[in-house]
Amino acid sequence: MSAAGDLAPAALRAAIRRGDWTGPTAGAVRGYLQCNLAILPEGFARGFESWCQANPGVCPLVAVGKPGDPRLPSLGGDIDLRTDLPGYSVFRGGRPGGHVLAIGDLWRDDFVAFAFGCSFSFEGVLLGEGVDLRYLARGEREAIYRSSLETTPVDGFSGPLIVSMRPLRPVDAIRAIEVTARYPLVHGAPVHIGKPEAIRVDPDRPMETLGGISVADDELPLFWACGVTPQLAIRRAAPDICITHRSAHMLVTDIPVDTLRDRTPEDGLTPGSGGS
Amino acid sequence: MSAAGDLAPAALRAAIRRGDWTGPTAGAVRGYLQCNLAILPEGFARGFESWCQANPGVCPLVAVGKPGDPRLPSLGGDIDLRTDLPGYSVFRGGRPGGHVLAIGDLWRDDFVAFAFGCSFSFEGVLLGEGVDLRYLARGEREAIYRSSLETTPVDGFSGPLIVSMRPLRPVDAIRAIEVTARYPLVHGAPVHIGKPEAIRVDPDRPMETLGGISVADDELPLFWACGVTPQLAIRRAAPDICITHRSAHMLVTDIPVDTLRDRTPEDGLTPGSGGS
């Protein structure tokens, strides 16, 4: 799967664990599933899992850890969630509590970890299918926006849908919809195309971008559900503590993205994987 | 497959054969494949078949008749192409030669019939998948346009791509792309979305429409390859005679559309079907 020069996922995780890699993971490893992470006390875990299941396009669960267990063996035999992400965001009582590089000192016996697919995973698939991601050639990266769309609320978890935007020419937009629709575990098809004003988004004013973004006259903006969404939903539920991946600093797994084709959150990842 | 009140395909063909039904077939039979038809002298058949194969999204072949044989048994046991369409267009030397209701008196021993999927077939599939076709509620029908896109020329067959347009809201547009992409035998995914000026189409000025068409402010125009395209390609090749279905007056088959999911022109329709 890996192109010349790319790190293997386990090698990247080892570099992160040693503290040698602290940057974003987008593009660092091609062809492997990258995951959003959310770690919650057990008292909030069931509600959060129900909210994920009610919003499968937003939070396509690929693995759920056992209470107190920092491993997710179905995603990589050596994964230790306390050290293997290059950045974590900590929330206390629903408020941002800063970023950290490891969470060994924060780990608790009642923590439950949730991993769900990230759209970073599918850029490689799109390129492999011949979709022209011109924004990459322009030195730009997808940007994220707060939309006027709302997630389905469950047990105190609720909030707006955060979307990532990629500008594409019409023929590439159609192909990108076709391709991503077949990968529901990494958000699936876009939630919106064109007409950004219909979801109250101004493409020129992202919440966050990794490298600037623009929509050319011959391009349409495409919007996918973004894994930042659950961070806002968790903040509303306001557990005493919650830890997530830091934006763009993902859990890199051993799962080749192409094995996810046509698999849904209901299918799960592998027989017996995850499961709280 | 058939909803209450719908005719079965064989019953509709019988009514057409008797002369009781001379109108368009769109909507007359739901859930069954409707086909574009082209009948050519054998000397032009190989070139036309090659052109279809070079343009599979434009002319997805589902059956090819034997020379001189007016039957296409893989599409319906009783089909007689001389009588079973409610309207035919005749072209002589590449020029329009009028419309007729039957072609028994024109039939020749060297005629080869080609049937390919028509996008009329997929409106039922879209409705079944929950896509809101608001233009139908407005009393409108898809319209067709001459685009600036060109088909791949083969053996004298060439010409512009004719497209059919359906206006949809963004969320329905995405779903329509997902759904139609899985039906390559009825044109598959759209060829264009939004930005009609990029393919030099003015949505307000169709070549042809069955009931007027409009694009609302919150809708995007989606353009699919249209089965009228080969009529123009055949006119350029200018055989002494060619007979096609009359626009919107299709060959109605016994093939349930849902059995075509994920089948490509290369797969063919059934083992041993068609084949010249």
Side-chain angles (χ1 to χ4, degrees), chain A residues 38 40 44-61 114 116 150-162 226-237:
Chain A
L40 287 162
F44 288 83
R46 188 174 297 272
F48 182 66
E49 188 165 3
S50 299
W51 179 81
C52 291
Q53 287 161 348
N55 295 280
V58 181
C59 281
L61 283 177
F114 296 86
F116 39 93
E150 285 285 321
T151 59
T152 303
V154 176
D155 278 355
F157 293 88
S158 67
L161 182 67
I162 308 301
C226 170
V228 173
T229 309
Q231 296 187 11
L232 276 75
I234 290 169
R235 289 175 62 178
R236 289 219 187 150

Side-chain angles (χ1 to χ4, degrees), chain A residues 15-91:
Chain A
I16 292 168
R17 205 175 297 143
R18 288 191 307 267
D20 291 341
W21 183 293
T22 56
T25 54
V29 171
R30 290 239 173 93
Y32 292 93
L33 172 66
Q34 300 201 17
C35 284
N36 300 283
L37 180 71
I39 296 168
L40 287 162
E42 200 175 357
F44 288 83
R46 188 174 297 272
F48 182 66
E49 188 165 3
S50 299
W51 179 81
C52 291
Q53 287 161 348
N55 295 280
V58 181
C59 281
L61 283 177
V62 294
V64 182
K66 293 182 173 61
D69 190 347
R71 301 171 306 146
L72 288 174
S74 64
L75 302 183
D78 66 326
I79 287 174
D80 185 329
L81 295 174
R82 296 170 297 190
T83 52
D84 286 8
L85 277 71
Y88 300 82
S89 296
V90 181
F91 298 86

Side-chain angles (χ1 to χ4, degrees), chain A residues 142-155:
Chain A
E142 69 279 13
I144 67 174
Y145 303 83
R146 184 178 178 133
S147 78
S148 61
L149 302 170
E150 285 285 321
T151 59
T152 303
V154 176
D155 278 355

